[in-house]
Amino acid sequence: MEQGSSGLRRLFREVAKFGAVGGAGVLVNLGVFNLVRQATDLQVVRASVIATVVAIVFNYMGFRYFTYRDRDKSRRTREMSLFLLFSVIGLVIENGVLYTATYGFGWDSSLQSNIFKFLGIGIATLFRFWSYRTWVFRALPVRERPVAAGGATMAGERPRQRVP
């Protein structure tokens, strides 16, 4: 049971860190989206794609150097390629929701665009969390601590008693 609760704590910390980076990424995404909408005459989905790309770059930095900094860094080209692939799929999911709302239903006021942009981000985030943790930022294998004579670990800790 001890190991199971430890795994849950690790997962909770991972979700919290992913959420912190993702939350900041959402603010970047929505901020850039609204800035582009106000400063240019670009159509809503084009403005959204630009904002999503900026957020993808922001999120990669946050995920690599904060959320998943302890993960395998040995195959950075593979990591970046997979991150880009899954990010593009997320971009399609995110902007597909906005596209459907805007051009399928005619919901294109500023408020409606932001609501559906946010909804698309939420749906795409579920996909991204699963794909990034499963394929992109792979966990390093768990290493056993070396055990010294007498059963104590090298750090001087006493071995834990296993309860059958």
Side-chain angles (χ1 to χ4, degrees):
M1 190 68 164
E2 178 93 21
Q3 193 171 15
S5 66
S6 172
L8 283 176
R9 278 195 299 272
R10 268 196 313 273
L11 179 61
F12 178 77
R13 280 194 305 270
E14 179 182 343
V15 168
K17 287 179 174 183
F18 187 93
V21 171
V26 168
L27 294 176
V28 167
N29 198 331
L30 291 172
V32 171
F33 173 65
N34 284 291
L35 181 65
V36 171
R37 291 282 319 264
Q38 296 297 318
T40 70
D41 292 331
L42 285 177
Q43 295 174 342
V44 66
V45 175
R46 288 183 183 168
S48 180
V49 168
I50 290 168
T52 303
V53 169
V54 171
I56 286 170
V57 172
F58 175 87
N59 286 346
Y60 178 78
M61 301 303 284
F63 292 142
R64 167 44 51 215
Y65 298 107
F66 177 66
T67 305
Y68 297 114
R69 70 175 172 250
D70 60 334
R71 299 290 176 97
D72 185 10
K73 297 177 185 93
S74 64
R75 296 180 286 180
R76 190 62 61 95
T77 301
R78 178 184 179 277
E79 173 186 290
M80 291 181 84
S81 299
L82 287 172
F83 183 85
L84 183 60
L85 171 69
F86 292 122
S87 293
V88 167
I89 293 169
L91 180 144
V92 170
I93 293 168
E94 175 183 327
N95 291 290
V97 170
L98 182 61
Y99 180 90
T100 301
T102 303
Y103 301 110
F105 296 101
W107 297 329
D108 62 355
S109 72
S110 182
L111 177 62
Q112 290 167 330
S113 293
N114 277 284
I115 289 170
F116 287 102
K117 172 81 171 154
F118 187 77
L119 179 63
I121 290 170
I123 295 168
T125 295
L126 295 174
F127 168 76
R128 288 177 178 132
F129 177 72
W130 169 79
S131 63
Y132 293 167
R133 80 181 306 265
T134 304
W135 300 102
V136 180
F137 301 106
R138 303 210 45 178
L140 292 169
V142 176
R143 294 183 186 161
E144 293 291 323
R145 291 188 200 183
V147 178
T153 64
M154 296 302 280
E157 299 171 349
R158 304 185 95 197
R160 291 187 183 169
Q161 296 286 328
R162 288 194 129 168
V163 179

